[in-house]
Amino acid sequence: MNEELISRLTEDLKASRLTVVLTGAGVSVESGIPPFRGKGGLWERFDPMEVAHIDAFMRNPARVWDLLLREMHHLLNRVRPGTSHQGLARLEEAGYLSTVITQNVDGLHQAAGNTDVIEFHGSFARQLCLDCGKQIPTTLVSLETLPPRCSCGGILRPDCVFFGEMIPPQALERSFQLAEACNLMLVVGTSAVVQPVASLPGVAKSTGAKVVEINQEPTPLSARVADYSLFGEAGKILGQVAAGLPPRGRRH
Ligand code: OAD
């Protein structure tokens, strides 16, 4: 059944003048990064309100670093792009994809070669000093004592969006503008339950764009928003889609 839908998506990509993709944790699963929800997800092991809420971090930064952030630091230091990231980079390279809006903080879309990536939930690649505001590359941060500290003595936090925090205003504004302007929004590997990002596909749809979902399983978008859904491994599906598209040069 996917063969037919893959051809349909290939045709929709050819016809679209402005295509954006919205990605979630599912695109990084093949890189060895666990998702948040579902089997093996991070929120099976942790209560997000205890490790990913800004109030929990401010109450006890050492604990949040110890429980969650230390592990992320080790993991994200060694991960590489997987087939989903590569497929999306090929779509951009061939001229069919303008922008990636991602909820992921792992930097893997940029590592794969996508050049316009909106990090809706920020990035783990940088740490911020709570006192002086200095940004420090995560690779330079030592975790010998927790929480890690800036040279000024201030506590470091990742430049990611914790629950209870605002989305970076530029990322928010550009994402909604693109949702309104695009002809096609691909939604890949996200459970589409966290707001406000989960409303982007609905915005795209309401302003006339096609919305196509790629996911291992149905999501709230499948029945209500998506024009159609391709169910299966994102890497495989994106690889097949990219293989069916000849380069058309950069039109976006
Ligand atoms: P989730 O873990 O909620 O959802 C991952 C989605 O990817 C699920 O719908 C899976 O079915 C799908 N999936 C997993 N492996 C896949 C594969 N190989 N191919 C295709 N689909 C696959 O992750 P997100 O939707 O990204 O926010 O989560 C959204 C936000 O919730 C995160 O950015 C984070 C989290 O709490 C903050 O921390 C603010």
Side-chain angles (χ1 to χ4, degrees):
M1 191 195 70
N2 264 350
E3 295 303 322
E4 242 171 65
L5 292 179
I6 282 168
S7 305
R8 189 168 165 193
L9 176 53
T10 307
E11 292 311 310
D12 282 338
L13 280 160
K14 282 182 186 164
S16 169
R17 282 174 294 104
L18 181 65
T19 298
V20 301
V21 60
L22 169 64
T23 66
V27 297
S28 292
V29 164
E30 291 164 19
S31 297
I33 303 173
F36 296 98
R37 297 172 184 80
K39 202 159 169 275
L42 274 183
W43 301 158
E44 238 178 21
R45 288 166 53 205
F46 301 112
D47 173 354
M49 292 306 124
E50 273 186 34
V51 294
H53 196 286
I54 188 62
D55 293 346
F57 184 83
M58 296 311 281
R59 250 192 327 266
N60 195 342
R63 181 165 182 270
V64 172
W65 266 103
D66 189 35
L67 285 174
L68 178 68
L69 301 178
R70 185 208 320 249
E71 188 176 318
M72 277 177 79
H73 184 281
H74 289 317
L75 184 63
L76 298 189
N77 260 347
R78 53 164 211 268
V79 288
R80 297 281 172 272
T83 51
S84 294
H85 305 104
Q86 286 157 1
L88 292 172
R90 280 171 71 190
L91 288 185
E92 180 185 322
E93 180 60 31
Y96 296 94
L97 176 61
S98 164
T99 304
V100 179
I101 303 168
T102 189
Q103 295 162 83
N104 302 341
V105 299
D106 53 33
L108 290 176
H109 287 302
Q110 296 93 321
N114 283 111
T115 58
D116 188 22
V117 180
I118 299 175
E119 295 179 308
F120 203 90
H121 288 159
S123 168
F124 199 77
R126 305 174 293 272
Q127 302 294 320
L128 297 180
C129 175
L130 290 181
D131 285 356
C132 74
K134 190 165 143 190
Q135 284 193 13
I136 302 170
T138 302
T139 47
L140 301 182
V141 170
S142 160
L143 299 186
E144 254 169 54
T145 55
L146 294 179
R149 288 182 185 268
C150 176
S151 52
C152 81
I155 290 171
L156 295 178
R157 60 156 290 173
D159 193 11
C160 302
V161 176
F162 282 92
F163 283 111
E165 288 194 299
M166 304 289 282
I167 302 301
Q170 260 194 318
L172 185 74
E173 193 179 331
R174 242 197 112 214
S175 299
F176 277 87
Q177 278 169 357
L178 282 165
E180 285 179 14
C182 70
N183 308 111
L184 174 61
M185 179 177 279
L186 262 183
V187 185
V188 188
T190 175
S191 58
V193 294
V194 172
Q195 293 294 354
V197 67
S199 58
L200 288 170
V203 170
K205 175 94 173 170
S206 69
T207 48
K210 279 194 179 166
V211 175
V212 181
E213 174 183 54
I214 301 177
N215 201 302
Q216 259 179 352
E217 57 189 35
T219 74
L221 298 179
S222 313
R224 293 204 295 269
V225 178
D227 286 86
Y228 54 98
S229 301
L230 289 87
F231 294 118
E233 273 177 37
K236 233 186 234 170
I237 292 169
L238 287 168
Q240 276 179 272
V241 170
L245 287 164
R248 71 170 176 190
R250 284 172 198 275
R251 277 180 48 185
H252 297 301

